[in-house]
Amino acid sequence: MPEPDRDDAAPPPGNGFDRVLALLIAGQIGMHAAMAGLRMAAPLQALREGHSAWSVGVLLALFAAAPVLLALGAGRMADRHGYHRPVRIAVGLSLAGLAVALASTPLAGSAQFALLCVAATLSGAGSNVGLIVMQRTASVRARDGVERVRMFSWIGMAPSLANVVGPVAAGLAIDLGGFAAAYALLLALPLGSAWCARRVPAQPPAAGPAARGRGGAFALLATPGFKRLLFVNWLLSSCWDVHSFAVPVLGNALGFNASTIGLILGLFTLAVTGVRLLIPLLAHRLREVTVVRAAMLATAAVFAAYPLTTSPWAMAGCAVLLGIALGAAQPMLMSTLHRLTPAHRHGEAIALRSMSINAASTLMPLAFGAAGAALGVATLFWVMGAAVGAGNWSARGLGAPAPDRSAAA
């Protein structure tokens, strides 16, 4: 039987960046930027039509709710079929979401809002399915742990860049031509993703009957260290949500204008991007668990200091330090996930991680809002910082070498 085409499984040279990885990243930027642009435009459209802030909250929650339901199926599909079949579904969902949003523009009232909710659900699902498939495909191309860290540092750039491209493009289009023009422009981005996907070499599915992942998700959760990793990942992901929620509240309380608050949040994103550009150059010198534990301690320290700041420069410094810490932790956690779990179930493992993050992103802002109103934003920072600092103990167990699970059920 002839050997299947394994071009995309061949390890890249040098720092881990090559043509195939560039195509994977560009394809994901298209889908994620389309979702990010819609996530900015749809709430604005709903507000201009007179819908309440509560309605906007429901709309935003739907972007994260759909991935919770679809992530596991997407991960299993990636394990069974490789890259192309699930990414076609992801592109289709993204296009359908934007088409529905475009169809909502001539309408008004509840009919328009209902279509925006459908659009949010479809677009959020498409972006998340694409992300799971890209992460799984990139990981199988790495020869060892150092290359995995480099891979996940590079692909971590996709959401960061997309979160700039999508909202900026949508905002300009709204100002120039209205919401219909914005949605039409965003429709072109998943089409670019489809063009990139066609140029990614074919990937053979996981070999043998083990690819079906006997035992289901609960068996995967029983993998030593996996639940510990999900807990650490949840803690750090919650810190992103706390920062996004609390910085505008704190800045407003200190009398900062919107531009200043936006600049602080922008510096955070810039720091995340910068550290992920740096990690591939240093990956051979870094230990996963050491970086994760250092990031957790740094995050706890920054959260302790944030409420004590009184100037924009001090808050900006905290934002940069936090961006470096959280930006460095994510590639290490992804590499650890692949070290701990069976090779033929990497897609499923990524999906479980995605489900936990999106579930938190759906529910945690509601909890933050209640806690912030009852206790104050300073207490929210300090409680979350204490939780992350205490969670550093859980991260210790992630450093133990995992057995070879390539043939595990």
Side-chain angles (χ1 to χ4, degrees):
M1 183 171 163
E3 180 71 7
D5 180 3
R6 301 187 66 94
D7 285 350
D8 68 336
N15 62 10
F17 197 91
D18 67 348
R19 184 184 70 89
V20 174
L21 187 60
L23 288 169
L24 293 173
I25 293 172
Q28 183 57 31
I29 287 174
M31 285 182 283
H32 198 102
M35 182 274 295
L38 179 61
R39 190 171 56 192
M40 185 278 288
L44 183 58
Q45 181 183 356
L47 289 171
R48 290 188 180 179
E49 289 294 325
H51 295 285
S52 67
W54 181 86
S55 298
V56 171
V58 171
L59 188 61
L60 290 174
L62 288 172
F63 282 97
V68 176
L69 302 176
L70 298 179
L72 196 57
R76 288 171 174 166
M77 184 183 298
D79 285 333
R80 292 170 183 164
H81 302 293
Y83 176 75
H84 289 88
R85 182 182 297 186
V87 88
R88 284 195 294 268
I89 293 174
V91 169
L93 288 168
S94 296
L95 290 171
L98 289 163
V100 170
L102 183 60
S104 75
T105 54
L107 305 177
S110 59
Q112 182 190 77
F113 184 74
L115 287 183
L116 289 177
C117 287
V118 173
T121 303
L122 292 171
S123 182
S127 175
N128 189 252
V129 169
L131 184 62
I132 290 170
V133 176
M134 179 190 69
Q135 289 173 336
R136 191 260 178 194
T137 303
S139 72
V140 301
R141 305 181 66 243
R143 294 172 297 191
D144 52 34
V146 172
E147 284 197 350
R148 276 199 307 271
V149 169
R150 287 173 175 154
M151 285 283 187
F152 287 119
S153 296
W154 285 122
I155 64 178
M157 300 290 294
S160 297
L161 293 173
N163 284 330
V164 176
V165 172
V168 170
L172 291 173
I174 291 169
D175 289 340
L176 293 174
F179 289 99
Y183 298 143
L185 176 63
L186 293 175
L187 266 168
L189 296 175
L191 293 175
S193 299
W195 183 89
C196 292
R198 289 177 60 86
R199 283 150 181 81
V200 174
Q203 176 189 3
R212 291 189 293 271
R214 296 192 299 272
F218 288 107
L220 189 59
L221 287 171
T223 302
F226 188 59
K227 285 184 286 189
R228 185 187 299 266
L229 181 141
L230 289 182
F231 173 68
V232 170
N233 194 93
W234 171 78
L235 277 176
L236 291 171
S237 296
S238 295
C239 291
W240 291 73
D241 292 330
V242 167
H243 189 253
S244 298
F245 169 84
V247 166
V249 176
L250 183 61
N252 183 68
L254 292 171
F256 301 161
N257 59 32
S259 298
T260 300
I261 294 171
L263 180 60
I264 291 169
L265 293 174
L267 287 172
F268 169 80
T269 302
L270 186 63
V272 170
T273 304
V275 76
R276 288 180 181 171
L277 284 171
L278 184 62
I279 284 176
L281 304 177
L282 303 176
H284 61 290
R285 299 179 180 273
L286 302 175
R287 291 186 67 244
E288 296 162 349
V289 69
T290 302
V291 174
V292 171
R293 295 190 67 193
M296 296 180 80
L297 291 175
T299 298
V302 171
F303 274 19
Y306 239 127
L308 305 178
T309 59
T310 57
S311 74
W313 290 109
M315 285 187 69
C318 287
V320 169
L321 292 175
L322 186 66
I324 292 171
L326 295 180
Q330 191 262 2
M332 304 300 168
L333 288 170
M334 291 297 298
S335 179
T336 303
L337 178 147
H338 286 74
R339 173 169 56 82
L340 293 176
T341 55
H344 60 272
R345 302 188 71 180
H346 282 168
E348 193 173 357
I350 294 170
L352 285 172
R353 172 185 175 272
S354 173
M355 289 171 66
S356 69
I357 292 174
N358 282 288
S361 293
T362 303
L363 300 175
M364 293 304 284
L366 302 176
F368 297 152
L375 304 175
V377 69
T379 303
L380 180 59
F381 268 120
W382 289 331
V383 169
M384 196 67 214
V388 174
N392 182 269
W393 178 84
S394 296
R396 293 175 58 189
L398 300 178
D404 182 6
R405 299 185 174 276
S406 60

